[in-house]
C-alpha cells in the first residue's frame, strides 16, 4: 500500500488544551504520526512518498476563503497581541442569543472560527494543516490514477473541521478534501466512512446537502460524547442530500462484536449506494486503552475492520484521524491496513 507522509506534521505541537476544567497537555501530538510511520516501516506496509502541493485553489473546494485567510494569519495576529508565549485559544463563542458576526480582534476571531478550546493554534499550525491536507489529496490522486488503496498518514486530523470552523484538533478537513479530489478527478459518487470514536461532524456538515457523497459514521453517542451537538441517528441529510447521511451512534462500553455489527450495516449501505471510490476516516481511538475514549476494541479487533472494508472492492483512500494511545496507535492503525491488504 502506498503511504503518503510529510514530516511537516510536527510543526503542530500545542502546549495546552482546555479539558476537564483545566489546561492540560495536548493529546494530539507529533508522536502519534511517528509511531504509525514506525510500525508501517517495521512491517513493510508499502513505499513512502511525500505529498505534492495542491495550492489554495484545492482547499477552497471545501473551505471558505475567509476561514483559510484566518488560519494563515491567526498566529501572527495572536503573537502581535499576546507575545506568542501561549497557544492561541478562543475566549467566547457566538452561541444562542449572540450574533455570529466575525470580530476584528484576534480574541473574537478565534472564538468565531473555533468549535472548542481544545484545538490550539501554534506557530506551525498553518504549515502542518496544509501539509496534512496535501497528504490526503495526494493519496486520493494515487487512487484516482489506479492504485487500489493509499494511506494518507497526516496530522493534524481533519474530520471535525467544517467549511469554516476548527475544532477537535482539526483545522482542514482532510477526508472531505480527498473525497472532493476524487470527484474532481472523475468519480461520480464517493462514499466517506468514518470509523473514528468521535463523530465526524465536520465531514457531515460539509456534505449533508449533497447526493454525490454518502457520509456514514459509527461513533460514540453524542448524547454522551464529543462533539455532542451532531451525529444523532435521525440526521439523514438535507435538501438534495436527504438520505445520504447515515449515523450509527453507539453507547459507552461498546464491544467489538457490537461495533462490527454496526460496521456491517454501514458497509451494506455503501454497497447499495454503489460509489466509484471510498474514503475512510481512519480513527483508532475505539481502542480500549485510549485515554479520551470509552469503547472496548482490542488490538486484535482492528485487522478484521480492514478485511471487511476490502470486501467492498472499492478504490480506497485511508485518511488518518484519531487515536491517542500513543504506544498502541501504530499497531492498531497499521493493523487495519494489513487486514485490508490481506482481505
Amino acid at each position: 500500500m502506498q503511504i503518503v507522509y510529510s514530516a511537516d506534521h510536527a510543526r503542530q505541537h500545542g502546549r495546552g488544551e482546555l479539558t476537564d476544567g483545566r489546561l492540560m497537555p495536548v493529546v494530539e501530538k507529533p508522536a502519534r504520526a511517528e509511531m504509525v510511520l514506525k510500525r508501517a516501516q517495521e512491517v513493510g506496509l508499502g513505499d513512502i512518498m511525500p505529498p505534492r502541493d495542491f495550492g489554495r485553489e484545492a482547499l477552497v473546494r471545501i473551505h471558505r476563503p475567509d476561514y483559510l485567510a484566518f488560519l494563515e494569519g491567526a498566529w501572527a495576529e495572536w503573537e502581535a497581541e499576546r507575545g506568542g508565549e501561549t497557544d492561541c485559544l478562543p475566549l467566547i463563542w457566538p452561541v444562542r442569543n449572540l450574533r455570529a458576526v466575525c470580530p476584528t480582534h484576534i480574541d473574537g476571531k478565534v472564538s468565531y472560527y473555533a468549535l472548542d478550546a481544545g484545538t490550539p493554534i501554534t506557530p506551525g499550525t498553518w504549515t502542518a494543516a496544509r501539509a496534512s491536507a496535501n497528504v490526503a489529496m495526494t493519496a486520493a490522486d494515487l487512487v484516482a490514477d489506479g492504485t487500489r488503496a493509499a494511506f494518507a498518514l497526516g496530522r493534524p486530523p481533519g474530520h471535525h473541521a467544517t467549511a469554516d470552523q476548527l475544532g477537535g484538533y482539526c483545522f482542514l478537513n482532510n477526508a472531505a478534501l480527498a473525497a472532493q479530489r476524487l470527484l474532481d478527478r472523475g468519480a461520480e459518487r464517493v462514499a466517506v466512512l468514518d470509523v473514528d470514536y468521535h463523530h465526524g461532524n465536520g465531514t457531515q456538515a460539509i456534505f449533508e446537502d449533497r447526493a454525490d457523497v454518502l457520509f456514514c459514521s459509527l461513533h460514540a453517542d453524542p448524547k454522551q460524547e464529543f462533539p455532542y451537538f451532531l451525529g444523532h441517528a435521525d440526521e439523514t441529510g438535507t435538501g438534495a442530500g436527504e438520505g445520504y447521511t447515515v449515523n450509527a451512534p453507539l453507547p459507552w462500553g461498546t464491544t467489538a462484536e457490537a461495533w462490527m455489527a454496526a460496521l456491517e450495516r454501514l458497509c451494506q449501505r455503501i454497497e447499495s449506494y454503489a460509489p466509484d471510490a471510498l474514503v475512510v476516516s481512519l480513527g483508532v481511538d475505539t481502542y480500549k486503552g485510549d485515554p479520551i475514549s470509552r469503547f472496548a476494541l482490542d488490538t486484535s479487533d482492528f485487522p478484521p475492520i480492514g478485511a471487511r472494508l476490502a470486501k467492498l472492492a472499492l478504490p480506497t483512500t485511508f485518511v488518518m484521524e484519531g487515536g491517542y494511545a500513543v504506544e498502541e496507535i501504530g499497531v492498531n492503525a497499521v493493523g487495519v491496513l494489513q487486514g485490508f491488504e490481506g482481505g
Side-chain angles (χ1 to χ4, degrees):
M1 181 179 295
Q2 187 75 60
I3 303 165
V4 187
Y5 171 83
S6 170
D8 280 345
H9 76 84
R11 297 288 300 278
Q12 172 63 9
H13 195 177
R15 285 169 278 198
E17 61 174 293
L18 186 61
T19 184
D20 298 331
R22 294 175 291 174
L23 198 61
M24 301 288 288
V26 180
V27 299
E28 201 294 291
K29 52 192 174 183
R32 298 178 58 251
E34 292 159 6
M35 291 297 284
V36 177
L37 179 66
K38 179 182 177 183
R39 180 61 176 174
Q41 292 171 323
E42 287 174 349
V43 303
L45 183 65
D47 294 333
I48 301 166
M49 64 177 288
R52 57 164 285 206
D53 187 354
F54 288 81
R56 191 178 293 252
E57 60 271 20
L59 301 180
V60 298
R61 298 287 289 138
I62 292 296
H63 293 285
R64 280 179 23 184
D66 62 296
Y67 174 63
L68 296 174
F70 162 75
L71 279 182
E72 185 174 18
W75 179 257
E77 290 189 53
W78 179 264
E79 187 175 37
E81 183 69 25
R82 301 284 181 232
E85 295 181 1
T86 60
D87 295 337
C88 177
L89 289 170
L91 180 66
I92 186 173
W93 289 269
V95 295
R96 290 183 298 276
N97 303 315
L98 295 179
R99 291 183 61 194
V101 178
C102 187
T104 58
H105 190 276
I106 185 59
D107 282 341
K109 278 187 180 180
V110 68
S111 300
Y112 178 81
Y113 287 113
L115 294 170
D116 63 21
T119 309
I121 296 174
T122 73
T125 295
W126 176 242
T127 297
R130 282 184 55 230
S132 193
N134 284 328
V135 163
M137 290 185 285
T138 299
D141 261 10
L142 290 170
V143 171
D145 289 335
T147 299
R148 175 180 179 240
F151 176 36
L153 176 48
R155 60 165 292 277
H159 70 151
H160 294 303
T162 71
D164 62 352
Q165 285 185 303
L166 60 92
Y169 311 131
C170 304
F171 301 93
L172 299 174
N173 195 308
N174 306 315
L177 288 162
Q180 187 62 55
R181 184 67 187 168
L182 289 164
L183 292 167
D184 291 344
R185 288 290 309 275
E188 294 186 4
R189 292 152 70 94
V190 174
V192 177
L193 174 63
D194 194 323
V195 299
D196 193 277
Y197 173 81
H198 303 93
H199 177 252
N201 61 286
T203 313
Q204 176 176 317
I206 287 166
F207 293 125
E208 66 179 353
D209 61 351
R210 292 170 56 170
D212 57 350
V213 176
L214 171 70
F215 174 70
C216 296
S217 176
L218 63 164
H219 51 270
D221 194 326
K223 292 179 181 177
Q224 298 177 305
E225 194 61 83
F226 183 94
Y228 297 110
F229 304 109
L230 211 63
H232 299 277
D234 63 354
E235 298 158 10
T236 57
T238 62
E242 176 64 42
Y244 297 101
T245 293
V246 184
N247 284 318
L250 301 168
W252 282 343
T254 291
T255 63
E257 181 180 7
W259 194 93
M260 289 297 293
L263 176 65
E264 180 60 32
R265 293 193 298 273
L266 295 186
C267 284
Q268 291 177 13
R269 178 64 181 93
I270 291 169
E271 289 168 340
S272 69
Y273 181 66
D276 300 306
L278 174 67
V279 173
V280 179
S281 273
L282 180 57
V284 292
D285 42 0
T286 49
Y287 175 62
K288 65 180 184 180
D290 196 276
I292 62 171
S293 306
R294 300 195 189 190
F295 282 177
L297 276 67
D298 209 340
T299 293
S300 60
D301 297 317
F302 288 97
I305 297 172
R308 179 60 184 95
L309 299 182
K311 291 180 181 179
L312 293 172
L314 291 168
T316 303
T317 305
F318 289 92
V319 179
M320 193 71 215
E321 299 285 3
Y324 307 99
V326 174
E327 293 302 316
E328 294 85 6
I329 187 175
V331 175
N332 293 341
V334 173
V336 175
L337 304 176
Q338 288 179 297
F340 183 90
E341 291 285 79

